[in-house]
Amino acid sequence: MDNQATRRRHAKPIFIYVSQTAISVFAGFALFVAVLITALIGFNLEYSGRIYPGIRLTDVDLSGKTQEEAYALVQANFNYPQDGLIIFQEADKVWAAKPAELGLTIDARTSVLAAYNIGREVNLVARLFNHAKAYFNGFNLAPIYVYDQRESQAFVGDIAATIDRPTIEAELKIVGIEVVAVPGQVGREVDVEKTLEPLEEHFRNQTNNILPLIVKETPPEILDASEQAKIARNILSAPLTIRIPNPIEGDPEPWVFEPEAIASMLTIERRNGDNGHEYQVGLQAEGLRGFLESAAIDMEQTPANARFIFNDDTRKLEVIQAAKIGRSLNVDATIQEINQKVGQAEHVVDMVLDYVNPAITDDMSGEQLGITELVSAETSYFYGSSAARIQNIQAAASNFHGLLIPPGETFSMAANMDDVSLDNGYAEALIIYGNRTIKGVGGGVCQVSTTLFRTAFFGGLPIVERHPHAYRVSYYELSAAGNVNSNLAGLDATVYVPVVDLKFINDTPYWLLMETYLNPTARSLTWKFYSTSDGRSVDWETTGLRNKQEPPEPLYQENTDLEKGEIKQVDWAAEGADVTVYRTVYRYDEVYFRDEFNTYYMPWRAVYEYGPGTKLPKD
């Protein structure tokens, strides 16, 4: 306690000394700031709504002016747009315009507003700085002009309308069947953009000046067309006959064009010849093309390979359909030939035909093609099929009987079928469409695609595209005895031209001959492949039906076309399942390749239709 008392007794107090001089300086500074603020307030009040002193627009003093006063002053002093003069000249012709007529105007409002805003900045420091600068040095602003180039372009464009003229080549005119020569003309065109290039600089300097019009001249390329006129007259001197060389039975008669018709197609085109530009007289290509393309339809003949069957007894090929040499009209070459002939004053012209030989002709042998034996054959059955369905199977299968597949080709079933239509011998039968079994043209075609798939499958050929059916169809699992063989599930294939296809590759070095045989009595379709064995064989196995799913409950739908009490089944239930088929292809006991085919069959419900007022069965 004594020590603390001692420390308190010896502690020195802290004093703050304020001198009279410091008080005087502080008071003086405060007085200066107060006077400055008072002066600024008074200055701003004095120039409220007016431009601050020392502010000029070029040489026009706007100090102390209201915006309206300054606007009138600017309008009165900056009159170059109205008083200036720009002269455009071409040869001995001149066109005068004021800058205002060429799109130049003084933006007095914006110029005055820019002057008025000097010293009224938001930033106080900037405001004081600008006040000081205006007072001591003055502010000299540039006036704001607006240049609308569209006005000057329109003005010179109007001048150009009196000067411009097109280049006219010496030409030949056809009047009726008469040929008239027309002289050429030098073209002239004012280059508006280049003419106006110096204008902006004159506007900046506010100078008057003479601007020469920049005019481009384009002389005609052809001065004399007398030789071409002579050719045109020769063309129109007689009828023109166009004919088919070496005509065959059924070909049209020659076509004869009278001079009046020729005149409507006559064309005189400019081209660059050995002696410079000249006219070439001929018949209009597009006019001839329309006629020739129409005529070509009657002359078109697609090349077709001979079709054969393999005689199992003689082991020789027998022709069942002769080969056809392809023939087509070469439209472009025929147009060229016609124009060449008429240019030589000839009036009978043969069409130009292209001939294409088929790859396989009637005289080819099995040894030449590598077709020496049966390499694969499969049969499918369709007991219970309607007459319409059998008709469709026959129509589709006939497309492939005797057809040849070259080595290395990817065969498309869809590409080798004709259109599935009533006109091509197909009938209406049940098809799968949009998750429903409905009546449509071509029902039963999938019996053909399924049989082809199995023939390629067991023939060991690579399958590159195959689509199963949406649900299990009993036709594709029938045995020869008419029983359902579930081991055939997963070996079906559907085709819906042109979206859904079946494709496989003939990866052998030999041609492949296909034969199809329909037996309506036995309700069977047999597909055969003839070629030469390259030692391949096939092992396969199936998982059988897995993950089976019961079909959904039947669906009943009212059909106003049915009588009361009438019930009609239009779709049939099918069990859903998964199945995978594995295949191993060998060549001379060595594995060539392996593949697998996965199929998911949807559970399919029965669908019934009933007439209005029908009482449905409880079960």
Side-chain angles (χ1 to χ4, degrees):
M1 293 294 293
D2 294 338
N3 290 336
Q4 290 179 358
T6 302
R7 285 196 295 272
R8 285 197 295 269
R9 192 166 46 245
H10 293 286
K12 296 182 179 180
I14 298 174
F15 295 96
I16 299 175
Y17 294 92
V18 180
S19 67
Q20 186 63 39
T21 302
I23 293 173
S24 299
V25 170
F26 179 78
F29 178 76
L31 180 61
F32 171 77
V33 170
V35 170
L36 179 61
I37 292 173
T38 302
L40 285 175
I41 293 173
F43 181 76
N44 282 295
L45 288 174
E46 180 180 355
Y47 285 94
S48 175
R50 293 187 295 144
I51 297 172
Y52 289 118
I55 298 174
R56 307 171 66 86
L57 198 64
T58 308
D59 294 327
V60 178
D61 189 3
L62 303 181
S63 301
K65 301 292 189 294
T66 66
Q67 291 191 50
E68 288 303 319
E69 292 171 342
Y71 174 76
L73 199 58
V74 170
Q75 289 283 64
N77 283 273
F78 295 93
N79 50 15
Y80 171 72
Q82 287 75 32
D83 296 343
L85 185 64
I86 300 295
I87 296 176
F88 296 97
Q89 183 176 23
E90 200 277 324
D92 59 346
K93 296 180 180 179
V94 294
W95 295 264
K98 296 178 181 180
E101 295 177 287
L102 300 176
L104 185 68
T105 56
I106 176 72
D107 190 348
R109 293 290 183 191
T110 305
S111 299
V112 168
L113 183 61
Y116 179 79
N117 286 332
I118 298 296
R120 289 181 167 84
E121 292 78 10
V122 175
N123 187 292
L124 180 60
V125 175
R127 184 184 301 180
L128 293 174
F129 175 80
N130 286 336
H131 280 315
K133 181 179 178 181
Y135 181 81
F136 291 106
N137 298 323
F139 253 103
N140 200 1
L141 302 177
I144 299 173
Y145 287 91
V146 176
Y147 173 33
D148 187 348
Q149 289 182 320
R150 294 173 296 181
E151 296 292 332
S152 58
Q153 289 171 348
F155 187 89
V156 177
D158 290 340
I159 298 174
T162 66
I163 295 175
D164 291 353
R165 66 186 184 195
T167 300
I168 299 177
E169 301 290 337
E171 62 176 341
L172 302 177
K173 288 185 178 180
I174 308 300
V175 181
I177 58 173
E178 297 296 323
V179 180
V180 179
V182 178
Q185 172 181 279
V186 176
R188 307 191 74 214
E189 181 181 7
V190 175
D191 190 328
V192 176
E193 297 299 327
K194 286 191 175 181
T195 298
L196 292 173
E197 280 180 0
L199 186 60
E200 187 172 342
E201 187 64 25
H202 293 312
F203 284 170
R204 290 185 186 279
N205 298 328
Q206 298 194 8
T207 56
N208 302 327
N209 216 317
I210 298 175
L211 299 182
L213 291 173
I214 308 301
V215 180
K216 296 183 293 184
E217 292 191 348
T218 307
E221 295 176 334
I222 302 174
L223 297 176
D224 182 16
S226 58
E227 287 298 318
Q228 288 74 27
K230 181 179 178 181
I231 293 172
R233 293 186 182 101
N234 285 335
I235 292 174
L236 297 174
S237 64
L240 171 65
T241 299
I242 300 176
R243 63 188 184 184
I244 302 172
N246 305 315
I248 60 176
E249 184 179 354
D251 278 344
E253 294 293 324
W255 293 268
V256 179
F257 296 88
E258 296 298 329
E260 291 78 8
I262 301 172
S264 67
M265 292 189 294
L266 196 64
T267 181
I268 304 166
E269 297 179 347
R270 185 168 58 237
R271 68 184 181 93
N272 194 4
D274 297 335
N275 300 319
H277 290 275
E278 61 184 13
Y279 283 114
Q280 182 177 8
V281 178
L283 297 183
Q284 187 182 49
E286 290 308 311
L288 289 172
R289 187 180 302 280
F291 150 67
L292 292 172
E293 289 178 348
S294 177
I297 298 173
D298 295 328
M299 290 181 282
E300 185 80 21
Q301 184 168 294
T302 303
N305 289 334
R307 290 205 178 194
F308 303 93
I309 60 169
F310 186 84
N311 189 315
D312 294 304
D313 295 328
T314 64
R315 306 187 68 79
K316 300 292 182 183
L317 296 180
E318 296 179 358
V319 177
I320 59 172
Q321 181 176 302
K324 291 182 180 179
I325 296 175
R327 184 186 74 172
S328 62
L329 177 63
N330 188 325
V331 174
D332 290 331
T334 300
I335 292 173
Q336 185 177 354
E337 179 73 6
I338 292 171
N339 278 317
Q340 180 179 345
K341 294 296 185 182
V342 298
Q344 297 169 354
E346 296 186 27
H347 293 88
V348 178
V349 183
D350 286 338
M351 292 177 167
V352 179
L353 301 180
D354 292 333
Y355 296 93
V356 180
N357 290 321
I360 306 300
T361 56
D362 300 359
D363 56 351
M364 286 189 171
S365 65
E367 289 76 10
Q368 288 176 285
L369 301 175
I371 299 174
T372 60
E373 59 185 317
L374 180 68
V375 294
S376 183
E378 288 297 319
T379 299
S380 68
Y381 300 90
F382 43 90
Y383 300 108
S385 291
S386 65
R389 190 172 189 274
I390 296 172
Q391 178 181 331
N392 292 334
I393 296 172
Q394 174 65 52
S398 64
N399 288 279
F400 307 96
H401 188 57
L403 191 64
L404 289 159
I405 305 174
E409 178 175 291
T410 297
F411 179 80
S412 163
M413 180 176 176
N416 287 276
M417 282 185 62
D418 54 16
D419 292 334
V420 179
S421 65
L422 297 176
D423 292 338
N424 286 327
Y426 292 89
E428 288 191 340
L430 294 179
I431 63 172
I432 301 174
Y433 182 80
N435 291 335
R436 284 293 305 273
T437 303
I438 63 173
K439 200 170 186 180
V441 177
V445 170
C446 291
Q447 189 81 39
V448 180
S449 58
T450 294
T451 311
L452 173 57
F453 168 65
R454 291 176 183 173
T455 309
F457 178 93
F458 290 108
L461 299 175
I463 311 294
V464 295
E465 183 177 348
R466 170 259 177 181
H467 302 273
H469 289 79
Y471 65 89
R472 292 176 62 196
V473 180
S474 61
Y475 291 125
Y476 310 132
E477 298 178 18
L478 291 177
S479 65
N483 301 318
V484 173
N485 179 4
S486 62
N487 283 335
L488 294 177
L491 290 176
D492 60 310
T494 182
V495 169
Y496 189 76
V497 180
V499 179
V500 179
D501 201 358
L502 170 64
K503 295 179 181 178
F504 63 87
I505 304 173
N506 176 15
D507 64 338
T508 75
Y510 312 107
W511 284 78
L512 181 69
L513 170 64
M514 297 194 295
E515 296 180 13
T516 57
Y517 296 95
L518 178 75
N519 188 333
T521 303
R523 297 294 196 269
S524 67
L525 174 65
T526 299
W527 204 300
K528 295 182 178 182
F529 285 174
Y530 286 93
S531 187
T532 295
S533 173
D534 62 353
R536 71 180 66 192
S537 59
V538 174
D539 281 348
W540 73 288
E541 59 182 14
T542 178
T543 61
L545 297 171
R546 298 176 292 111
N547 304 322
K548 294 182 179 180
Q549 297 174 272
E550 291 296 321
E553 292 295 321
L555 174 67
Y556 287 83
Q557 296 176 323
E558 183 177 298
N559 184 344
T560 57
D561 293 334
L562 300 180
E563 298 293 333
K564 180 180 179 180
E566 184 180 1
I567 300 177
K568 180 181 179 182
Q569 186 170 4
V570 296
D571 217 336
W572 286 260
E575 187 179 55
D578 294 315
V579 60
T580 300
V581 176
Y582 301 93
R583 179 175 68 156
T584 302
V585 179
Y586 298 89
R587 286 185 65 188
Y588 301 110
D589 299 326
E590 296 286 337
V591 174
Y592 184 37
F593 66 85
R594 290 188 174 94
D595 54 9
E596 64 182 60
F597 300 86
N598 297 300
T599 301
Y600 166 67
Y601 294 116
M602 297 171 57
W604 208 257
R605 66 181 173 187
V607 178
Y608 297 86
E609 292 182 349
Y610 60 89
T614 300
K615 185 177 181 180
L616 299 179
K618 294 181 180 180
D619 57 353

